[in-house]
């Protein structure tokens, strides 16, 4: 099999080699495997998980406001579980977790359904740094009654996993694996097997190259769409700025690597360098 390789300065294969599960685009690809998701959740939740539905990159539309594209949505019995990788501190704000839960509620309930039959919702944010700042490896948040500190059973739990703590525990080893670029350094076989497929197997690398080309194509199309709405030159620039931001925030690219990936001409690069370094 001949691999498709991008003709620009940055080879897609080099980009794939640098990917980690903390890069949410790659995590979504690996987590298309339901058994991987199940074992991953069982370590975090410390209980067995029986997956009924599993969706990677699940879009929830809100006709009255902001829509979202969530990384992974799982149905486990009466629970809906949302897994999110958040490298950006701002993206892991507690109100975002609340928003995710609200839209999941709105999209998984039915007319005339009894209120006590609404599914429980668990939101899991895996953060690159200790967003909450208490130095703990994991945080479980529930609603409580102020006056007596008893649980207020409204059916929502928010979990923050601090991936910066990689102790010799089941959870710490899992977080270590989230940062590995080399599958051979991973502790868990179920992750090592899937990651090595996309990084080392010819068929897996071919799939990744095609996905990378699609990501690049969508970024350029977004720029063209904004260009039509705002004027061709300004709109194209704004679209490329958004694509550069995504590559840096989600996939760990340097600015120079993002410029290479998007094939931005050398004579235009100083404009984007000024924007991102000023």
């Amino acid at each position: 099999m001949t691999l498709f390789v991008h003709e620009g300065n940055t080879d897609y294969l080099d980009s794939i080699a640098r990917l980690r599960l903390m890069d949410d685009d790659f995590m979504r690809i690996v987590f298309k495997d339901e058994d991987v998701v199940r074992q991953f959740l069982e370590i975090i939740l410390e209980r067995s998980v029986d997956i009924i539905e599993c969706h990677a990159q699940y879009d929830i539309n809100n006709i009255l406001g902001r829509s979202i594209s969530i990384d992974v949505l799982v149905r486990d019995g009466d629970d809906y579980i949302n897994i999110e990788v958040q490298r950006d501190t701002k993206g892991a704000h507690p109100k975002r977790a609340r928003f995710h839960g609200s839209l999941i509620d709105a999209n998984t309930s039915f007319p005339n359904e009894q209120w006590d039959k609404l599914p429980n919702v668990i939101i899991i944010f895996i953060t690159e740094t200790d967003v909450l700042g208490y130095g703990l490896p994991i945080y479980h948040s529930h609603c409580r009654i102020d006056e007596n500190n008893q649980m207020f059973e409204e059916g929502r739990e928010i979990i923050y996993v601090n991936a910066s703590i990689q102790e010799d525990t089941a959870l710490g080893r899992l977080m270590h694996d989230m940062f590995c670029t080399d599958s051979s350094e991973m502790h868990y076989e179920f992750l090592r097997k899937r990651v090595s497929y996309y990084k080392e197997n010819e068929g897996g690398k071919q799939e990744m190259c095609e996905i990378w080309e699609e990501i690049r194509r969508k970024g350029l199309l977004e720029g063209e769409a904004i260009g039509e709405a705002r004027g061709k030159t300004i709109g194209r620039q704004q679209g490329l700025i958004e694509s550069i931001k995504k590559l840096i925030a989600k996939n760990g690219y340097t600015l120079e690597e993002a410029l290479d990936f998007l094939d931005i001409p050398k004579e235009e690069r100083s404009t984007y360098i000024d924007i991102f370094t000023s």
Side-chain angles (χ1 to χ4, degrees):
M1 178 183 292
T2 301
L3 288 173
F4 170 79
V5 178
H6 179 42
E7 295 179 354
N9 294 329
T10 298
D11 186 323
Y12 282 159
L13 298 180
D14 290 339
S15 299
I16 294 166
R18 292 197 305 273
L19 287 173
R20 312 165 305 166
L21 290 172
M22 279 303 297
D23 302 318
D24 62 355
D25 283 332
F26 187 51
M27 188 270 280
R28 288 175 173 183
I29 293 165
V30 172
F31 277 30
K32 289 180 180 179
D33 186 309
E34 186 175 300
D35 195 51
V36 167
V37 177
R38 179 185 60 77
Q39 294 183 73
F40 187 87
L41 283 173
E42 288 182 343
I43 294 170
I44 293 176
L45 298 176
E46 296 184 303
R47 64 171 173 81
S48 62
V49 173
D50 182 18
I51 294 178
I52 298 173
E53 297 178 47
C54 184
H55 307 276
Q57 192 165 1
Y58 187 81
D59 296 327
I60 300 180
N61 296 315
N62 178 9
I63 62 173
L64 298 178
R66 175 184 290 176
S67 299
I68 57 172
S69 178
I70 62 181
D71 290 340
V72 179
L73 182 65
V74 172
R75 184 180 177 192
D76 165 40
D78 293 330
D79 297 337
Y80 278 92
I81 306 171
N82 172 206
I83 309 170
E84 291 291 315
V85 166
Q86 295 292 342
R87 296 184 60 196
D88 182 7
T89 301
K90 292 180 180 178
H93 195 283
K95 289 186 177 179
R96 178 170 183 173
R98 184 190 77 180
F99 182 73
H100 277 224
S102 298
L103 283 192
I104 292 171
D105 276 341
N107 283 268
T108 57
S109 57
F110 303 95
N112 302 319
E113 186 174 22
Q114 295 297 312
W115 293 114
D116 63 347
K117 300 302 182 184
L118 287 176
N120 298 319
V121 176
I122 302 173
I123 308 295
I124 302 173
F125 275 8
I126 300 169
T127 61
E128 188 162 12
T129 59
D130 186 9
V131 171
L132 299 185
Y134 298 108
L136 298 174
I138 190 167
Y139 304 87
H140 297 81
S141 171
H142 304 84
C143 286
R144 291 186 178 273
I145 300 169
D146 290 345
E147 285 73 15
N148 59 13
N149 201 36
Q150 295 299 304
M151 294 288 292
F152 184 67
E153 300 289 354
E154 48 93 48
R156 178 165 51 192
E157 178 180 12
I158 297 173
I159 299 173
Y160 276 72
V161 183
N162 174 11
S164 68
I165 294 182
Q166 300 172 16
E167 301 168 325
D168 188 20
T169 63
L171 181 63
R173 291 190 291 272
L174 187 69
M175 292 304 102
H176 166 273
D177 289 358
M178 294 290 290
F179 285 88
C180 290
T181 58
D182 185 346
S183 63
S184 67
E185 297 176 355
M186 290 181 154
H187 293 290
Y188 287 102
E189 174 65 22
F190 73 94
L191 290 176
R192 183 164 58 245
K193 182 177 179 181
R194 294 309 296 162
V195 169
S196 65
Y197 170 74
Y198 288 111
K199 285 174 171 275
E200 300 163 24
N201 179 276
E202 292 298 301
K205 288 192 287 186
Q206 177 69 31
E207 286 183 46
M208 287 300 301
C209 285
E210 292 170 357
I211 290 167
W212 235 231
E213 176 64 14
E214 181 64 13
I215 290 171
R216 176 177 173 274
R217 186 186 68 81
K218 285 182 177 179
L220 296 176
L221 286 177
E222 287 176 6
E224 292 175 3
I226 294 173
E228 292 178 2
R230 300 184 184 178
K232 188 172 182 180
T233 301
I234 295 175
R236 175 180 177 275
Q237 184 181 98
Q238 188 59 43
L240 287 172
I241 288 171
E242 292 304 314
S243 295
I244 292 168
K245 286 180 179 177
K246 290 178 183 177
L247 287 170
I248 292 173
K250 292 188 174 185
N251 297 306
Y253 274 54
T254 64
L255 175 57
E256 192 65 31
E257 288 168 344
L259 297 176
D260 285 340
F261 184 81
L262 293 168
D263 277 345
I264 295 177
K266 292 188 181 297
E267 60 271 18
E268 297 180 18
R269 295 191 176 198
S270 60
T271 299
Y272 298 98
I273 292 172
D274 290 343
I275 291 170
F276 281 88
T277 58
S278 60

